[in-house]
Amino acid sequence: MPGGPGADGDGRRRRERDALAAAITVSASALGVCTPNPPVGAVVLDESGEVVGTGATEAPGGRHAEVVALDAAGDRARGGTIVVTLEPCDHHGRTGPCTGRIREAGLARVVYAVSDPNPVASGGAGTLRREGIGVVRADDDEVRAARSGPLRAWLHRQDHGRPLVTWKYAASLDGRVAAADGSSKWITGPVSRRHAHARRQEIDALVVGTGTLRADDPALTARTDDGRPAPRQPLRVVMGLSPVPADARVRGADDRFRHLATRDPAEALALLGDVSHVLVEGGPRLAGAFLAAGLVDEIDAYLAPLVLGAGLSAVSGAGVDTLAAAHGFEIRETTILGDDLHLRLTLTADTTPLTRGPR
């Protein structure tokens, strides 16, 4: 991050770099909560560089991350710095502009990672500079870290006009999601299942097809390690033309259930509205439909150290007839989960610039 020369400048850059890393981390608490707003994180440093406040975006209609952090800091923010993952907004939405709150707090400096090019909400950095507040953008590597963190799915929606789609499956080493007799519980172990339930809390909508509904009658809830419902729950979605029985567990007792009466993945995503991140957990045909439509952006693969030799494949009907037509993905993360291997993959050469819209 830019800063003054010498030891003092180096120390400030180090503190601001650490603060941005902390802001990215705290922003994860907004995942699954703040949609359609972006999951932003903010950290306030006092004049001496000590952390005096942190915050993340609240649910729609609530406070933005900057305001949460400044409320926590109180008078200690005066003369200090706020470090934020996204350029402070400069417009009136459900709440007032963050630029106004920053000015009122008496901050001397603002450091942000991702710029705001949207004409409705942009201009926060310029407004603050005109008011005499020092504003700098983070270094390129820090910007990349912010874009690839909790902001990623929201930014994907701004750029592509649709949610980020993750296909999740659990399979044997030879790609089977069920044995020849149809048994599938449990291919992967308890550590993988806990990891998958934590992932469910971070996304906006969880989608299965009517085939999975008939076979498994899934609840599609996110659960804690002790089996209780997690604090954050995704929208539970069944996609397909068959009706959903009145007593299906997926309906639940809340208003977090949707039936999308379509087999078209693009239409299904449009019907979901302004969600940012969709997790496809349906069976092989649903996965194949999303792949064939070019609508899988990343894959969460949980692989068990088993070979079944026969049984249901992880995907069918993906629109691939030759090796040259295969859908290409790059491995981004590998993690050992108990006896299993978790792979997170993204589309090959996914280098589209990420932008943001109003919040």
Side-chain angles (χ1 to χ4, degrees), residues 85-238:
T85 58
L86 196 64
E87 181 183 4
C89 69
D90 195 35
H91 78 297
H92 286 271
R94 292 185 176 121
T95 61
C98 290
T99 51
R101 184 69 174 82
I102 288 170
R103 181 185 62 252
E104 293 167 4
L107 287 163
R109 183 173 168 89
V110 175
V111 179
Y112 70 95
V114 179
S115 296
D116 178 1
N118 186 276
V120 175
S122 65
T127 294
L128 293 168
R129 289 191 184 103
R130 287 191 294 273
E131 294 175 351
I133 298 173
V135 180
V136 296
R137 192 180 182 201
D139 289 338
D140 287 346
D141 61 334
E142 296 167 292
V143 173
R144 284 191 291 270
R147 284 179 166 171
S148 63
L151 278 173
R152 179 171 176 251
W154 187 88
L155 290 168
H156 182 280
R157 178 169 189 91
Q158 310 314 305
D159 190 62
H160 297 276
R162 65 165 179 84
L164 180 78
V165 176
T166 300
W167 168 39
K168 175 261 180 181
Y169 72 95
S172 62
L173 291 177
D174 53 340
R176 307 292 181 176
V177 295
D181 65 354
S183 59
S184 61
K185 293 184 178 181
W186 298 97
I187 287 179
T188 52
V191 181
S192 289
R193 295 197 291 277
R194 286 197 296 270
H195 187 273
H197 276 278
R199 179 71 155 157
R200 284 183 175 184
Q201 297 183 62
E202 298 176 349
I203 52 95
D204 297 317
L206 176 60
V207 181
V208 300
T210 52
T212 296
L213 178 72
R214 289 191 298 270
D216 299 335
D217 188 24
L220 300 187
T221 54
R223 295 184 291 278
T224 58
D225 290 351
D226 59 5
R228 292 184 297 179
R232 288 179 284 179
Q233 293 290 332
L235 184 68
R236 304 181 301 276
V237 179
V238 174

Side-chain angles (χ1 to χ4, degrees), residues 1-336:
M1 293 179 184
D8 289 345
D10 291 342
R12 182 172 70 179
R13 286 196 297 272
R14 184 173 59 254
R15 289 190 293 271
E16 291 174 354
R17 180 181 288 271
D18 290 344
L20 182 56
I24 293 171
T25 298
V26 75
S27 70
S29 66
L31 289 170
V33 173
C34 67
T35 299
N37 289 335
V40 178
V43 172
V44 177
L45 307 175
D46 66 12
E47 286 186 279
S48 68
E50 294 298 315
V51 175
V52 293
T54 63
T57 313
E58 294 181 335
R63 297 172 295 173
H64 289 181
E66 299 94 322
V67 177
V68 176
L70 287 169
D71 284 350
D75 291 339
R76 294 172 295 176
R78 189 162 299 277
T81 299
I82 188 167
V83 181
V84 62
T85 58
L86 196 64
E87 181 183 4
C89 69
D90 195 35
H91 78 297
H92 286 271
R94 292 185 176 121
T95 61
C98 290
T99 51
R101 184 69 174 82
I102 288 170
R103 181 185 62 252
E104 293 167 4
L107 287 163
R109 183 173 168 89
V110 175
V111 179
Y112 70 95
V114 179
S115 296
D116 178 1
N118 186 276
V120 175
S122 65
T127 294
L128 293 168
R129 289 191 184 103
R130 287 191 294 273
E131 294 175 351
I133 298 173
V135 180
V136 296
R137 192 180 182 201
D139 289 338
D140 287 346
D141 61 334
E142 296 167 292
V143 173
R144 284 191 291 270
R147 284 179 166 171
S148 63
L151 278 173
R152 179 171 176 251
W154 187 88
L155 290 168
H156 182 280
R157 178 169 189 91
Q158 310 314 305
D159 190 62
H160 297 276
R162 65 165 179 84
L164 180 78
V165 176
T166 300
W167 168 39
K168 175 261 180 181
Y169 72 95
S172 62
L173 291 177
D174 53 340
R176 307 292 181 176
V177 295
D181 65 354
S183 59
S184 61
K185 293 184 178 181
W186 298 97
I187 287 179
T188 52
V191 181
S192 289
R193 295 197 291 277
R194 286 197 296 270
H195 187 273
H197 276 278
R199 179 71 155 157
R200 284 183 175 184
Q201 297 183 62
E202 298 176 349
I203 52 95
D204 297 317
L206 176 60
V207 181
V208 300
T210 52
T212 296
L213 178 72
R214 289 191 298 270
D216 299 335
D217 188 24
L220 300 187
T221 54
R223 295 184 291 278
T224 58
D225 290 351
D226 59 5
R228 292 184 297 179
R232 288 179 284 179
Q233 293 290 332
L235 184 68
R236 304 181 301 276
V237 179
V238 174
M239 175 182 158
L241 301 180
S242 299
V244 177
D247 60 350
R249 292 202 303 155
V250 70
R251 288 187 176 275
D254 54 18
D255 60 353
R256 302 288 293 162
F257 165 71
R258 291 278 300 279
H259 177 209
L260 306 180
T262 179
R263 292 174 178 167
D264 180 353
E267 183 181 5
L269 295 181
L271 289 171
L272 285 173
D274 56 7
V275 302
S276 296
H277 195 176
V278 170
L279 189 66
V280 174
E281 279 201 15
R285 285 184 295 176
L286 186 66
F290 273 87
L291 284 164
L295 292 174
V296 173
D297 302 298
E298 68 176 16
I299 299 174
D300 268 357
Y302 297 83
L303 301 180
L306 305 172
V307 175
L308 297 178
L312 198 61
S313 296
V315 61
S316 66
V320 176
D321 296 319
T322 68
L323 185 61
H327 302 280
F329 291 84
E330 296 180 356
I331 296 175
R332 299 298 186 183
E333 297 177 23
T334 62
T335 308
I336 301 297

